[in-house]
Amino acid sequence: MPNKHKKFIIIDANALLHRSFHALPPLTTKDGRLINAVYGFTSVLLKVFKEFKPTYVAVAYDMRGKTFRHEGFAEYKAGRVKAPQEFYDQIPLSKQVLDVLGIPVFEKQGFEADDVIGTVAQLNKKKDIETIIVTGDKDAFQLIDDHTVVFTMRKGMSDTVIYDEKKLFERYGLAPEQMIEYKALAGDPSDNIPGVRGIGDKSALELLKKFKNLENIYKEIDEKGAAADIKPRYLKLLREYKKEAFMSHGLATIVRDVPLEYSNDKCLIRPFDKEKIFSVFQELGFNSLLGRLPDIPPVGSVEESVAKDVPEVKPVVEKPRVIKNVNYTLVATDSAFAEFLTEAREQTAMAVDTESTSLDPFRAKLLGISFCWKEGHAFYLDIKNNQIWLEKLKPLLEDQKIKKFGHNIKYDLAILQQAGIELAPVSFDSMIGSYLLNPGSRGHGLDALAFSVFGYQMQPIIDLIGKGKDQISMELVPADKVSWYSCEDADYTLRLCRYLAEELEEKKLRKLFDDIEMPLVPVLAMLEKNGVKIDSEFLDVLSKELAKKISSLEKKIYDLAGTTFNINSPLQLKEVLFGRLKISTEGISKTKTGLSTAAAQLDKMRDKHPIINLLTDYRELSKLQSTYVEALPKLVNPKTGRVHTSFNQTITATGRLSSSDPNFQNIPIRTEEGKKIRQAIIAEKGFQIVSADYSQIELRVVASLAHDEKMIESFRKGEDIHRRTAADIYNIPLEDVTDEQRYEAKEVNFGVLYGMGAWGLASRKNMSRERARAFIEKYFYVHSQIQAYLAETIQSAHEMEYVETLFGRRRYLPEINSEMKQVRAQAERMAVNMPVQGTAADLMKMAMINIAKKLPAVSPRTRMILQVHDELVFEVPSDEVDKASAFIRQEMNSVYTMDVPLKTDVSVGPNWDEQTKI
């Protein structure tokens, strides 16, 4: 058995890069380079460091050009589809990552990476070293032995498995050396290894189970001829393709004696040069991988290092570089506080950061506040032990002459409100600035930005509070430790705000930032503070009703399936649908684990078996039960008796708001059960729920942007736009349009905004693709100006690599010029949709700002409580509904003048669902 203290990781780079490229979404750097393959590659590399704690590591690459296998079979790997250039561009980047990590690369002209790996594994076995092969395919399984295992992926990049001899036999019923024999018989289409034509996977396994290898099979044939213990059909094929079988055997065999300039010393893991690593990771935007870097201590010699147990991999928590000239001050005494206050009052702008016990500001306890107005100089005020200071801080934090900067400053605003302080003016939020500059990214956290902009790794929170079971409350962390952490936050917030301010000016985004995004911050904080009232008793009754319906559906599903099974298991569901019930798989998409049972695929099977509708209902009810009916009562704040959602300003690429804990945007409104969730959102006694919903705002926006005369005229007349569209397409009077024709027109009206083509319409409307194509062609004949606008938008996006809303909000689309058709098409759909949806989102934000500013003078007790899609929700005193509603409608309709007037539908009722239009 191998020495378990000596583990050697060798990675099949090309296989892993290919796997990552196809498994991960098209991640890009700021300058538009695709980096999904190298990201996945690096992520797996760091994962195996953590999992195996190796002593040695190396990486093998394929080289361009033919190998010795092509000499024996010129068609070897012929027919392989060439990968897009975006894949090949990432290979040098992966080598750049390996270079800064100090990991050696081995490759040899005329051989494949598998041969290099086989050679290294053979050398390691002689030296009693355990080899762990990291790869994305099955070719290396033949190398498994008592010193060698294979670490590979079953699904995507995260579902991994280790194959040793036992695991391999459990999975395939074969020994490692039989994997070669298997390919010799069944062939391998991916490598164009022919095998024995007519012998498939099942036949090959059957033959190997009986004869073990190719040599024994042909020995049986040579010795017994027609009397051989082989089915006549197989016998004929084996005789006819004997030459191909042995040639395939040679092609499939990994060689283990490649002449390499190799030594174990080259592969020994040594301490990293963190300066180099941080530089490359910053360039690639790999901030999320930094915390996974192993901490490799210095070693005295190769012999000494391999003699000891390999140290446990720990996160890198020290700074990548020493920060010079920083002065972070803990203010913990009254005299120090007085000095701080004197200096602070003289400032014109400062970054503010609060420390507390919870991410929920309505449940959190304020522990301290940090301030920074000069880079490298920050103060942390220990409020936990000096609550009396808050009264003296109030004038400073509310001083309108001193601009306040923050990162996710909405939280600081909210937590200070709980302490009786109204933080103002809220002038700059570095998280929002980053979002406007990079709306397609999710890397707007302070740590990520400090790293990507300045190449600086901030102290992780786990350094203070730990993680998992060992995590402690921030309240228990000593003030001096909290001080440095919080001062660093304030310092880098200030640096980022100044840096991003210049970027916003340069990209002409400052007006959008100053006029819409920043004024919206206190409005959203107000909505969150207002919260919504939940009828918990109603939800308790609804929960019991849903439980009965779910149970009934389960029984019906089991009856139709003829067996009980885990309905939530895709694997078991696939077996029932396609195995037991034999439902046709025609047109059903596949995932890496086989046929898909996702919602879109179930929709395709609705007419094929009655179980499908039951499954869809089951899923919908189960999701409602867990996500809302059971969850909402638990989210009620015990102090306020209300649910306080969190509105997210920096999530969607189009500019729309989202919400979380709970997500009110995702409550379904087309089903009776979904509507009942809205019934649970009620008004306080003496109040009513008023909903103000922009009517068909996206169609009004696109008609205005495209200057489409037909649609503009129809809207101005107050016609039903979908009925008018149907009338124009079918060339019939408006009054003769059927409901079905109107519905078809509605699908296209909205579908074109999302780049829907003939295939999309055909699948949604269950019509032929030819009819769908003709329908869309007629639509664009009627609305030729919309067609021209969409074409111009796509063309401009290809030229500029971004699109804009009416108010200058941008979405960058560097992938729109990709060589990959699928990636390019997706980017074009985004280019069509974003200016329309984003403009509608901007209008909604502008309306919210105006209403929040003027509402107190009109109806001071009215509270804005929710924003969902195109709708604003208010809690209004019953005796002020008419006055407040008229004001809200007027403000929403007049927020901006376009070719098509905005229209707002207003409804009122005791809850969010049961409402009457007014």
Side-chain angles (χ1 to χ4, degrees):
M1 293 297 291
N3 182 343
K4 292 295 182 180
H5 293 316
K6 298 182 183 180
K7 289 180 181 175
F8 194 121
I9 296 285
I10 185 158
I11 296 173
D12 183 345
N14 292 76
L16 200 54
L17 286 164
H18 268 288
R19 181 88 179 205
S20 303
F21 185 74
H22 294 290
L24 298 178
L27 310 171
T28 59
T29 58
K30 285 184 179 180
D31 58 4
R33 288 179 295 166
L34 201 66
I35 43 91
N36 59 340
V38 68
Y39 178 86
F41 172 84
T42 308
S43 182
V44 172
L45 174 63
L46 297 179
K47 179 176 182 174
V48 296
F49 266 117
K50 180 179 181 180
E51 189 157 333
F52 299 110
K53 304 176 180 64
T55 308
Y56 308 97
V57 65
V59 178
Y61 281 83
D62 291 328
M63 295 190 76
R64 285 189 175 184
K66 295 183 176 180
T67 68
F68 72 91
R69 292 179 176 86
H70 291 91
E71 295 172 9
F73 181 49
E75 297 302 306
Y76 178 64
K77 292 195 174 181
R80 271 201 176 185
V81 178
K82 187 176 182 291
Q85 188 58 40
E86 287 102 329
F87 169 76
Y88 295 108
D89 289 343
Q90 295 187 64
I91 293 176
L93 295 178
S94 70
K95 290 184 176 180
Q96 192 178 354
V97 168
L98 295 173
D99 181 55
V100 296
L101 291 173
I103 296 173
V105 168
F106 293 98
E107 50 194 356
K108 188 70 175 178
Q109 196 67 54
F111 295 90
E112 296 179 58
D114 285 340
D115 302 313
V116 173
I117 291 169
T119 301
V120 171
Q122 186 71 11
L123 293 169
N124 286 341
K125 184 173 182 178
K126 292 176 181 177
K127 295 180 179 180
D128 196 30
I129 296 173
E130 180 184 9
T131 300
I132 299 156
I133 300 169
V134 179
T135 182
D137 61 38
K138 303 169 185 174
D139 291 344
F141 286 170
Q142 63 182 272
L143 299 174
I144 294 171
D145 58 30
D146 60 349
H147 278 69
T148 308
V149 297
V150 171
F151 177 88
T152 190
M153 296 90 207
R154 280 181 292 214
K155 180 183 178 183
M157 297 302 296
S158 57
D159 185 5
T160 56
V161 60
I162 299 170
Y163 281 99
D164 56 12
E165 291 175 283
K166 182 181 177 184
K167 184 74 175 178
L168 183 69
F169 189 81
E170 288 174 0
R171 174 69 177 82
Y172 295 99
L174 298 172
E177 61 273 11
Q178 287 181 299
M179 298 302 291
I180 305 170
E181 319 296 328
Y182 177 75
K183 275 195 176 186
L185 292 167
D188 184 351
S190 66
D191 287 340
N192 201 34
I193 295 175
V196 176
R197 188 174 299 174
I199 299 286
D201 296 345
K202 189 176 178 182
S203 312
L205 288 171
E206 189 179 317
L207 288 164
L208 291 175
K209 188 175 181 181
K210 188 179 292 184
F211 297 105
K212 297 202 178 299
N213 57 44
L214 201 64
E215 187 177 336
N216 289 345
I217 291 170
Y218 280 101
K219 184 180 178 182
E220 173 80 0
I221 293 172
D222 292 342
E223 290 179 357
K224 297 182 181 179
D229 187 17
I230 298 173
K231 291 178 182 178
R233 179 173 171 271
Y234 297 165
L235 185 61
K236 181 177 180 295
L237 293 169
L238 287 163
R239 281 174 166 169
E240 186 177 350
Y241 295 104
K242 180 177 181 179
K243 180 183 176 183
E244 286 81 0
F246 281 98
M247 179 187 70
S248 297
H249 191 281
L251 292 173
T253 302
I254 294 174
V255 304
R256 307 191 189 198
D257 56 357
V258 176
L260 294 174
E261 292 182 12
Y262 168 83
S263 73
N264 286 94
D265 184 41
K266 280 185 181 180
C267 307
L268 182 72
I269 295 178
R270 292 181 171 84
F272 299 135
D273 184 334
K274 294 190 178 106
E275 288 289 337
K276 289 182 179 179
I277 292 173
F278 279 56
S279 175
V280 170
F281 276 34
Q282 180 188 19
E283 178 189 343
L284 297 174
F286 285 0
N287 178 64
S288 62
L289 299 180
L290 277 176
R292 292 166 56 188
L293 282 171
D295 188 19
I296 309 297
V299 293
S301 66
V302 174
E303 291 77 14
E304 180 185 348
S305 70
V306 298
K308 298 178 181 178
D309 286 356
V310 179
E312 182 180 354
V313 176
K314 297 178 182 177
V316 177
V317 295
E318 69 270 25
K319 299 291 167 285
R321 56 182 61 81
V322 176
I323 315 172
K324 297 177 181 178
N325 303 319
V326 296
N327 184 5
Y328 294 165
T329 303
L330 168 61
V331 177
T333 65
D334 288 339
S335 58
F337 174 70
E339 289 180 21
F340 157 80
L341 209 53
T342 300
E343 188 176 350
R345 286 168 178 159
E346 297 173 358
Q347 308 309 315
T348 57
M350 59 179 62
V352 178
D353 181 72
T354 56
E355 297 301 329
S356 65
T357 56
S358 171
L359 294 175
D360 181 349
F362 306 107
R363 297 175 187 261
K365 178 180 178 182
L366 180 64
L367 300 177
I369 312 171
S370 55
F371 297 81
C372 180
W373 48 80
K374 180 182 177 183
E375 290 182 11
H377 293 257
F379 301 85
Y380 176 72
L381 276 57
D382 179 13
I383 300 298
K384 182 179 73 170
N385 297 307
N386 299 279
Q387 292 286 325
I388 197 170
W389 290 352
L390 287 173
E391 188 177 336
K392 294 181 180 179
L393 279 173
K394 184 176 170 68
L396 173 73
L397 291 168
E398 295 182 349
D399 190 336
Q400 291 286 341
K401 295 177 182 177
I402 304 175
K403 295 178 180 178
K404 311 304 188 305
F405 301 163
H407 190 87
N408 189 21
I409 201 168
K410 176 162 64 72
Y411 178 88
D412 304 297
L413 195 156
I415 193 79
L416 288 169
Q417 279 181 338
Q418 303 304 304
I421 296 170
E422 293 293 333
L423 184 66
V426 175
S427 302
F428 204 105
D429 188 323
S430 47
M431 184 171 74
I432 295 172
S434 170
Y435 164 71
L436 287 185
L437 290 163
N438 300 286
S441 168
R442 291 291 182 94
H444 305 301
L446 185 57
D447 289 14
L449 289 174
F451 176 70
S452 63
V453 174
F454 304 115
Y456 175 74
Q457 188 187 14
M458 301 187 71
Q459 184 181 23
I461 186 68
I462 60 172
D463 278 12
L464 274 67
I465 63 173
K467 61 181 179 178
K469 294 179 181 177
D470 299 326
Q471 185 171 325
I472 62 171
S473 168
M474 195 71 162
E475 194 170 8
L476 301 177
V477 180
D480 59 332
K481 290 188 176 181
V482 179
S483 173
W484 203 97
Y485 174 83
S486 188
C487 283
E488 185 187 54
D489 280 358
D491 182 11
Y492 275 86
T493 295
L494 183 72
R495 296 176 195 235
L496 281 168
C497 288
R498 289 174 176 172
Y499 170 84
L500 294 170
E502 294 181 7
E503 291 282 297
L504 290 168
E505 290 284 358
E506 184 181 327
K507 297 289 175 62
K508 296 181 172 57
L509 290 165
R510 189 62 197 252
K511 181 174 174 57
L512 175 70
F513 180 83
D514 288 335
D515 293 354
I516 297 181
E517 293 298 339
M518 286 311 301
L520 187 67
V521 172
V523 178
L524 295 180
M526 177 189 70
L527 261 71
E528 293 178 3
K529 182 182 178 183
N530 288 342
V532 298
K533 186 174 177 63
I534 298 295
D535 189 339
S536 295
E537 291 181 5
F538 173 83
L539 286 174
D540 184 53
V541 173
L542 181 58
S543 178
K544 291 170 183 173
E545 289 177 7
L546 287 180
K548 288 180 182 177
K549 289 182 180 180
I550 291 168
S551 178
S552 174
L553 284 169
E554 281 180 343
K555 291 174 183 175
K556 291 176 182 177
I557 290 168
Y558 295 153
D559 286 344
L560 287 174
T563 184
T564 58
F565 65 103
N566 182 355
I567 301 172
N568 298 313
S569 165
L571 197 63
Q572 293 185 36
L573 183 57
K574 273 186 284 191
E575 173 57 32
V576 168
L577 297 181
F578 309 120
R580 292 183 65 89
L581 300 180
K582 308 295 183 187
I583 294 176
S584 170
T585 60
E586 183 180 356
I588 304 301
S589 300
K590 289 186 177 181
T591 66
K592 287 182 172 57
T593 57
L595 292 159
S596 172
T597 56
Q601 306 310 311
L602 289 186
D603 282 343
K604 296 176 185 178
M605 295 183 269
R606 280 190 182 276
D607 299 330
K608 296 179 180 179
H609 199 284
I611 198 173
I612 303 299
N613 286 335
L614 296 178
L615 288 168
T616 301
D617 292 345
Y618 172 86
R619 284 181 173 180
E620 288 177 357
L621 294 186
S622 296
K623 184 176 180 181
L624 279 177
Q625 180 79 303
S626 61
T627 307
Y628 296 105
V629 179
E630 293 177 348
L632 283 174
K634 297 174 185 176
L635 292 172
V636 174
N637 187 297
K639 294 179 184 176
T640 65
R642 296 171 76 89
V643 170
H644 302 270
T645 188
S646 177
F647 286 97
N648 308 309
Q649 211 170 337
T650 61
I651 300 293
T652 70
T654 59
R656 274 190 166 190
L657 296 172
S658 66
S659 64
S660 54
D661 301 320
N663 181 351
F664 282 115
Q665 261 80 2
N666 274 7
I667 298 175
I669 57 172
R670 293 184 180 179
T671 64
E672 283 304 312
E673 288 76 12
K675 288 179 179 179
K676 286 182 179 178
I677 305 297
R678 286 193 165 206
Q679 283 182 38
I681 295 171
I682 59 175
E684 296 281 1
K685 187 176 180 180
F687 285 74
Q688 294 279 292
I689 296 293
V690 170
S691 299
D693 192 353
Y694 271 130
S695 173
Q696 298 170 331
I697 187 170
E698 290 184 5
L699 289 178
R700 292 170 186 269
V701 167
V702 77
S704 299
L705 293 177
H707 306 294
D708 187 89
E709 294 171 6
K710 268 195 171 296
M711 197 172 278
I712 290 169
E713 182 187 11
S714 181
F715 272 125
R716 285 179 174 170
K717 287 181 178 177
E719 292 179 334
D720 179 331
I721 190 64
H722 304 310
R723 199 167 290 279
R724 164 51 59 196
T725 299
D728 289 340
I729 288 175
Y730 288 107
N731 197 25
I732 57 176
L734 198 66
E735 59 271 17
D736 290 346
V737 173
T738 67
D739 289 343
E740 177 62 22
Q741 289 170 333
R742 181 189 182 277
Y743 183 57
E744 286 179 341
K746 181 179 180 180
E747 287 288 301
V748 179
N749 265 332
F750 286 114
V752 295
L753 305 183
Y754 294 88
M756 183 179 72
W759 185 89
L761 179 61
S763 62
R764 287 169 69 109
K765 285 299 300 161
N766 197 24
M767 63 172 68
S768 71
R769 200 171 299 184
E770 290 72 23
R771 181 163 178 258
R773 185 177 292 108
F775 195 94
I776 290 176
E777 285 176 359
K778 187 69 185 291
Y779 177 89
F780 281 132
Y781 175 78
V782 172
H783 295 293
S784 58
Q785 287 160 303
I786 288 179
Q787 183 181 32
Y789 163 74
L790 296 178
E792 288 168 10
T793 299
I794 291 173
Q795 182 181 345
S796 173
H798 277 285
E799 293 170 1
M800 307 296 293
E801 295 192 340
Y802 67 80
V803 287
E804 285 185 325
T805 67
L806 188 61
F807 303 99
R809 182 184 304 279
R810 291 183 181 181
R811 179 167 190 177
Y812 293 92
L813 297 166
E815 67 271 27
I816 200 164
N817 291 314
S818 169
E819 288 186 8
M820 300 169 65
K821 184 179 179 181
Q822 186 178 358
V823 172
R824 189 170 63 249
Q826 183 181 15
E828 288 178 348
R829 287 192 293 272
M830 293 175 185
V832 166
N833 171 248
M834 188 274 173
V836 177
Q837 193 178 99
T839 296
D842 290 340
L843 290 168
M844 174 58 80
K845 289 177 176 179
M846 292 160 64
M848 292 173 72
I849 293 164
N850 290 350
I851 291 170
K853 190 185 298 180
K854 302 174 186 177
L855 184 60
V858 177
S859 177
R861 291 192 298 150
T862 291
R863 294 185 286 196
M864 193 188 310
I865 58 173
L866 285 176
Q867 193 286 314
V868 177
H869 304 311
D870 303 325
E871 182 179 7
L872 280 175
V873 184
F874 300 81
E875 200 169 2
V876 184
S878 299
D879 58 353
E880 296 183 10
V881 165
D882 291 342
K883 177 172 62 173
S885 297
F887 163 75
I888 292 164
R889 178 186 278 117
Q890 170 62 23
E891 286 301 318
M892 291 179 71
N893 287 349
S894 63
V895 71
Y896 190 80
T897 302
M898 299 188 299
D899 289 354
V900 177
L902 294 170
K903 181 187 175 187
T904 305
D905 295 328
V906 181
S907 303
V908 63
N911 59 61
W912 193 14
D913 176 59
E914 297 173 320
Q915 296 198 314
T916 305
K917 279 193 176 183
I918 57 174

